Each structure stands twice: as structure tokens, then as C-alpha cells.
């Protein structure tokens, strides 16, 4: 028993060790809530269904492709033999596939850089590139530029490719017609897509033309999220437009730029639709042949689905390595760490 000071002869039962017993002493029982219809339906709809769709339409096809990559399946019969890693060993000595990997990597490096650079310049002009007096605003008629710049992106990629192939046609194309009309006679029958020196740059131009409008709008939305007071304070301190763009805009939309680079890079590593529309045969001397195009040719023209599946697995690995490199470069150059701290 423990006496209470000032409490006369009233006594309280003491706990072990002389400590007062309280409601928090002793083992606590964890309360297990009952599963309600709302909680179960929430997890089924927002977790179970998307997870099931992802497993069925993404993971399972990839698992199948990885399995068929170990076989000599032709794709048109039910019989096949398991040959192990022979397909992957053949890829390492396949000159066409190695050339396609090189072209894809080239597209994956330059197309994102060019697209992001142009999109950032246009986005900054439209949001904060207006008059230096008064409120921070974009150039005049910026709304019109936003709408017009999105037009190429809403056109299907196959239509963009066919349209530019006709524009660049050596005989009746608009480009050669204009160049010839202004006196450049050497472009009278110039094959932009049939010349090794111009096929890849022209293909890059067409892809950038189709992509830049969407990513410009993405960066505009990101810049709109930067508080106007930040720009006002920088302008009061004497910062110019270029200084504000470099020291304020770019650091604050860094994560948006990284995300855009990954998306454009993955699209550039594939690029099947554009190159198939511009140069179905892979361009002169296979100068625009990409991995996906070689995969398609191997599977449906040569009837080697097992070998094509190995190419698909290799494409997936290249894409994952690309994404990992982007995240690593962003981390090493000062991006957010795992905990989200800047």
C-alpha cells in the first residue's frame, strides 16, 4: 500500500517495484478493426483491379517474351525447342542489331536533349518572357502560341511520318520545291531521307517537331506553379531574364525536366512509328534502323519469333538502364535524395 501525501490515512495499492499502477501498465491488446464493405471495395477497386490489369497485360507478356527468348519458336507453329541463351549470344554478334542499338542510343541521347531545350525556351518565353515592367507575364498572344504548338502532338505519329515523307519527297516534295524556287538548284532532286548524311538528322527533326509542343505545355504548367513573388524579388535585386531563368526557373522545375527526359528518352529508344513511316526499310545503309524496327522485321518477315523475343528483352534492359542513368545523374547533380530532401 502507498500513502498519498496530504491524504490522511488513505492508501493506494502499489504496483510491482513500488511504481504506481496506471491504465497504461501491462500488456496492451492491439485492436483489430472489422473489415467493412467500404474498405474492402476501396482496396479491390483502387488496388486490386489496377494490380491485376498490370500483372495480366504488362508482367505476364514480359514473362512470356523472356521464356520464348530461350526457344527457337518461329511464331507460326506450336512446336519449338528450348535452346537456352543461344539467342542472346547471337545478338552480340548480329551486325544489324548492333547497328540498330547504336541508332536507338543516338536517338535516345539527342532527341530528349533537343526537345527539352526547345520546349524550355518556348515555355519560359510564354510564361515570364514578356515586358520587364509591371507584373511578370509572358509574351503577347501567349495563349495563341500554346494552342498552335500542341497541334503536332495531337496528330498520330504515323500520320506525322507519312506527311513529312511526302513533304521531303525528292521529286514533288514541298521542301525541295521551295529551296529550288529560291535558287538552290542542287536541292532539285535531293533525297533527304535517302542520304546517309541527312537521314538521321531529318528523322530527329520530325520527331522533335511532333514532341516539342506537348512538353512545352508541361513546362508551362510547372513554371506556373512557381510563386510570382519569387520572380518579383529577383527582379528587384537586379536579376535579368536569363539569370532568373537559370537560377530560379530551372532549379524549381528540375523534377519535371527529369520526368520529361525519361518519357522522351523511352519514346526515342523505341521510335518505331516514326521511322517505319519515314523509312520502312531502315534508311540508307540502315542509318535510321532502330531496335523495334529490327525486332518487327525479324519476327514478321523472317519468322524468328524466339530471336525477336530476345531482342525485346534486350530493349527492355536498355530502357531500364537508360532510366537508371537519368535518375543517377539527377541524384549526383543535386536532385532529391531518397528521403525527398533537397
Amino acid at each position: 500500500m502507498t500513502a498519498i501525501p496530504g491524504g490522511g490515512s488513505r492508501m493506494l495499492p502499489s504496483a510491482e517495484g513500488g511504481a504506481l499502477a496506471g491504465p497504461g501498465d501491462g500488456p496492451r491488446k492491439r485492436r483489430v478493426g472489422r473489415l467493412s464493405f467500404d474498405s474492402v471495395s476501396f482496396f479491390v477497386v483502387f488496388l486490386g483491379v489496377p494490380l491485376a490489369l498490370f500483372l495480366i497485360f504488362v508482367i505476364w507478356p514480359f514473362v512470356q517474351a523472356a521464356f520464348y527468348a530461350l526457344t527457337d519458336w518461329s511464331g507460326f507453329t506450336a512446336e519449338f525447342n528450348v535452346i537456352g541463351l543461344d539467342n542472346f549470344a547471337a545478338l552480340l554478334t548480329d551486325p544489324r542489331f548492333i547497328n540498330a542499338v547504336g541508332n536507338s542510343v543516338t536517338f535516345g541521347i539527342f532527341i530528349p536533349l533537343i526537345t527539352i531545350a526547345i520546349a524550355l525556351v518556348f515555355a519560359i518565353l510564354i510564361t515570364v518572357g514578356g515586358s520587364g515592367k509591371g507584373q511578370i507575364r509572358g509574351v503577347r498572344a501567349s495563349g495563341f502560341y500554346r494552342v498552335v504548338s500542341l497541334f503536332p502532338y495531337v496528330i498520330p505519329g504515323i500520320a506525322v511520318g507519312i506527311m513529312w515523307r511526302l513533304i521531303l519527297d525528292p521529286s514533288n516534295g514541298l521542301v525541295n520545291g521551295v529551296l529550288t524556287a529560291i535558287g538552290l538548284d542542287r536541292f532539285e532532286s535531293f533525297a533527304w531521307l535517302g542520304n546517309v548524311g541527312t537521314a538521321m538528322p531529318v528523322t530527329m527533326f520530325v520527331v522533335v517537331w511532333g514532341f516539342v509542343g506537348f512538353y512545352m505545355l508541361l513546362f508551362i504548367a510547372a513554371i506556373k506553379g512557381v510563386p510570382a513573388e519569387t520572380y518579383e524579388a529577383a527582379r528587384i535585386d537586379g536579376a535579368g531574364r536569363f539569370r532568373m531563368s537559370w537560377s530560379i526557373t530551372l532549379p524549381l522545375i528540375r523534377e519535371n525536366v527529369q520526368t520529361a527526359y525519361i518519357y522522351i528518352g523511352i519514346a526515342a529508344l523505341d521510335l518505331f512509328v516514326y521511322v517505319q513511316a519515314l523509312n520502312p526499310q531502315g534508311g540508307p545503309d540502315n542509318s535510321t534502323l532502330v531496335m523495334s524496327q529490327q525486332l518487327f522485321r525479324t519476327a514478321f518477315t523472317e519468322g524468328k519469333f524466339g530471336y525477336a523475343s530476345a531482342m525485346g528483352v534486350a530493349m527492355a534492359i536498355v530502357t531500364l538502364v537508360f532510366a537508371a542513368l537519368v535518375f543517377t545523374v539527377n541524384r549526383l547533380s543535386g536532385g532529391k535524395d531518397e528521403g525527398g530532401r533537397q
Side-chain angles (χ1 to χ4, degrees), residues 38-92:
D38 288 340
S39 61
V40 173
S41 60
F42 177 83
F43 281 106
V44 169
V45 173
F46 291 99
L47 180 61
V49 173
L51 180 60
L53 293 175
F54 182 77
L55 291 174
I56 294 173
F57 295 105
V58 178
I59 301 300
W60 179 240
F62 183 78
V63 171
Q64 287 182 308
F67 170 74
Y68 287 124
L70 305 176
T71 70
D72 60 355
W73 185 43
S74 67
F76 302 103
T77 63
E79 293 80 18
F80 58 83
N81 299 311
V82 177
I83 59 175
L85 299 177
D86 289 355
N87 286 330
F88 294 99
L91 285 179
L92 299 178

Side-chain angles (χ1 to χ4, degrees), residues 8 23 27 104 137 154 170 186 246 248 254 306 311:
S104 294
R137 60 182 181 273
V154 300
R186 63 192 184 95
W246 183 261
I248 296 177
R254 181 192 188 95
M311 292 182 182

Side-chain angles (χ1 to χ4, degrees), residues 243-316:
R243 184 65 177 176
M244 286 192 296
S245 301
W246 183 261
S247 301
I248 296 177
T249 303
L250 291 180
L252 291 179
I253 67 171
R254 181 192 188 95
E255 300 302 319
N256 302 85
V257 174
Q258 173 188 298
T259 302
Y261 194 99
I262 292 175
Y263 274 107
I264 302 174
I266 292 174
L269 288 174
D270 180 4
L271 217 64
F272 175 78
V273 173
Y274 288 93
V275 295
Q276 187 69 14
L278 291 170
N279 265 320
Q281 303 303 319
D285 198 19
N286 290 327
S287 57
T288 61
L289 181 69
V290 294
M291 290 185 289
S292 56
Q293 200 174 18
Q294 178 61 19
L295 185 156
F296 181 84
R297 178 188 298 177
T298 302
F300 294 97
T301 303
E302 301 176 9
K304 299 178 180 179
F305 272 74
Y307 192 44
S309 297
M311 292 182 182
V313 174
M315 282 184 58

Side-chain angles (χ1 to χ4, degrees), residues 119 123 145-147 149-150 212-222:
Y145 299 138
R146 295 182 197 177
V147 175
S149 63
L150 191 61
V212 71
F214 172 79
Y215 290 97
M216 184 194 75
L217 292 183
L218 177 68
F219 295 146
I220 288 175

Side-chain angles (χ1 to χ4, degrees), residues 9-33:
S9 59
R10 288 180 297 169
M11 308 293 287
L12 288 175
S14 60
E16 277 187 29
L20 291 176
D25 295 330
R28 296 183 179 180
K29 294 183 179 180
R30 182 177 296 176
R31 294 182 178 179
V32 180

